[in-house]
Amino acid sequence: MPTMRKRLMGVLFLITVSLAVAGVPTAAAPAAAGTGPGHRSGPAPGSHWFDEQAAASFTVQDGRFVDGLGREVVLRGYNVSGETKLEENGGLPFASVADAEKSAQALRTLGGGNAVRFLLSWAHAEPVRGQVDHAYLAAATAQMRAFLTAGIRVYPDFHQDLFSRHLFHEDSWYTGDGAPKWVVDAGGYPRESCGICLFWGQNITQNQAVTRATYDFWHNKGGIQDAFLTTAQTTMAHLAGHLTAAEFAGVVGFDPYNEPHAGSYDPGQTSRAWERDILWPFYERFRARMDAAGWRDKPAFVEPNLFWNANLDFQKQEGGLLDAGRLGPRYVFNTHFYDQKAISGVFMWGKAKDGQYAGDFGTVRDRASATETAAVVSEFGHPLGGTVADKAPTVLKAMYQALDSRLPGATWWSRPEDSGPVLSGTQWQWDIYHGRHHEPMNGNPDKVMTAADAWNDEDLSSVRLDDTGTPVLRLDTRLLDRLYPSATAGRVLAFTYEDRSRDGSTTLTWNPVPPSLPRVRELVGSGQYGLLLWRSDGTLAPTELHLPASFDPARTTVVSDLGTVHAPPSYGNGTPIAVAPEPGGTGSRRLLLTAPQTGGLHYALITNGSTAPSEDLLRGARDELSAWAATRR
């Protein structure tokens, strides 16, 4: 942020604090006049003086996401939604805008998300070659707006799996999504067959129709890649032109292509060479289309070769955009991670454990650092139904743990300086229609899919509707609605969160407070806790952490160098530790920590473990944490 702007923001902050001390109400500052059609006047519900500027931009700087105030941003949320892969709602995530609004509200209040990867369908955007369906784009834009209005950042994704549904015959065991029928009709592909395939993903490499069609796309046979890029540009221009300036600012980038794979390699070609010679030039072409569509200031969320970080040796292929050089602010290193060992039911017996994925997610951090950009794990998850569903509570806890820190809980307290950046991520998936679908598989009226996610036997949605039509979680709320640093005024040095989520009747505690901190341990007790270490940059806007619904402000304790508070007050009275609604009017809450001094090392422990801690206990916990933090300088 320019120095003059910082000074002006500082004056505004001091005026706000002075008015609060004098007893004058401190309503959110008036929003600047917006541009674009249908601009909503005034601040979003729950906004404060800093929120509009924070939301005005989202960029990549120095290998991290930053908002309009220069704060380090972490995106957490879900994919919305696998419904796009089905035909029942015409390739849209929802049947109506009302359902999109219901889903967005629940995603914020139940799931604790501040971001979504929003799926789009090429087949429905361009059903006839050269003819973009603007009615589809308008409907998708209206549904996307429901999330933006709820204060949720969005990055769209033109999704594909197994290239296209139209490759599969009506009696097939499998199906796909992505390319339009006209692409498949022009390709003359053989009747698809996967042979002996136990999982749908095996079609990627074993189904000749899929491998040939995928190969043709990457080699632009018949100009099909050109057509895709033109449709993508039209889609991006539509979004830029039909969202207000404030809404469009909440669209943080675009994922060009889901889970890219060569289909088949040319003779002598390696997976690394394919990334260099085929995939990366495609991303450069997509980047140019983004610029032409008015997305110049937004990054492309680019994915490496699908199998670059597979955790089965016989699946893994060299990749990770090793030859792309410095990606910088115009690209984001975007990857997926699923534990195929756990999903197989064969290669991993038992449950996931503390630190299970520290190495896998550490590799993501390392690749993002090497390419000098930010990282996002745009898909991760585990089946919630079927023979391996019993692993889900531990697998997902271990994945979230690895997003928070590259350290296992057993070693976090002893060397938090090795924690690494907090990773952004969007879990697969958030589908309110789970178990309520009506999908004729591959157009077969005698094969209507209703159960689970209604697509290739997947069952991963974290949400469903109960008998009253109300969204409810399918996983322990303690696992999904998490404490995390959504915006840090400075640089995050370390973060951990012990969610105390359950595996059946067993409480999973992988990061207990060590015995060397007895007063902190007493304060936390059996409750949840998070601990953030950060170095401030002088920004007068506060550091924000999403406050889960399980953290009732009246029962929440914060122990910090900024102060020690049980039951933090509402924001706006000049105190450095406070609670406020998250923008969007959903009722979700955030903890605000204001630490204006530049370069200072700060810590904050947030816990719901004690209902009425004594002053002696609070003082003892602060003394212990202060001494512990002093050794981390």
Side-chain angles (χ1 to χ4, degrees), residues 28-34 38-48 51-52 149 244 246-247 583-584:
H39 176 77
R40 180 180 62 193
S41 62
S47 292
H48 285 285
D51 284 319
E52 186 173 14
T149 301
T244 69
E247 290 166 346

Side-chain angles (χ1 to χ4, degrees), residues 407-483:
L407 297 174
T411 59
W412 191 91
W413 282 91
S414 62
R415 52 189 185 97
E417 58 274 10
D418 296 329
S419 192
V422 180
L423 288 176
S424 294
T426 47
Q427 185 179 334
W428 186 274
Q429 65 158 327
W430 191 266
D431 176 17
I432 61 172
Y433 306 119
H434 174 272
R436 294 170 174 259
H437 293 285
H438 190 84
E439 173 72 4
M441 185 175 178
N442 297 319
N444 187 341
D446 298 322
K447 198 175 183 181
V448 178
M449 302 289 103
T450 60
D453 300 344
W455 193 88
N456 284 346
D457 295 324
E458 285 196 338
D459 188 353
L460 288 94
S461 178
S462 295
V463 71
R464 64 176 179 86
L465 298 179
D466 66 14
D467 290 341
T468 69
T470 302
V472 294
L473 295 179
R474 300 181 60 225
L475 285 160
D476 187 349
T477 184
R478 288 160 289 217
L479 174 63
L480 296 181
D481 188 12
R482 306 179 62 79
L483 188 80

Side-chain angles (χ1 to χ4, degrees), residues 3 16 134 157 173 284 400 404 430 441 476 586 594:
T3 301
T16 303
H134 286 276
D157 154 49
W173 288 3
E284 291 181 315
Y400 274 111
D404 290 343
W430 191 266
M441 185 175 178
D476 187 349
T586 63
T594 304

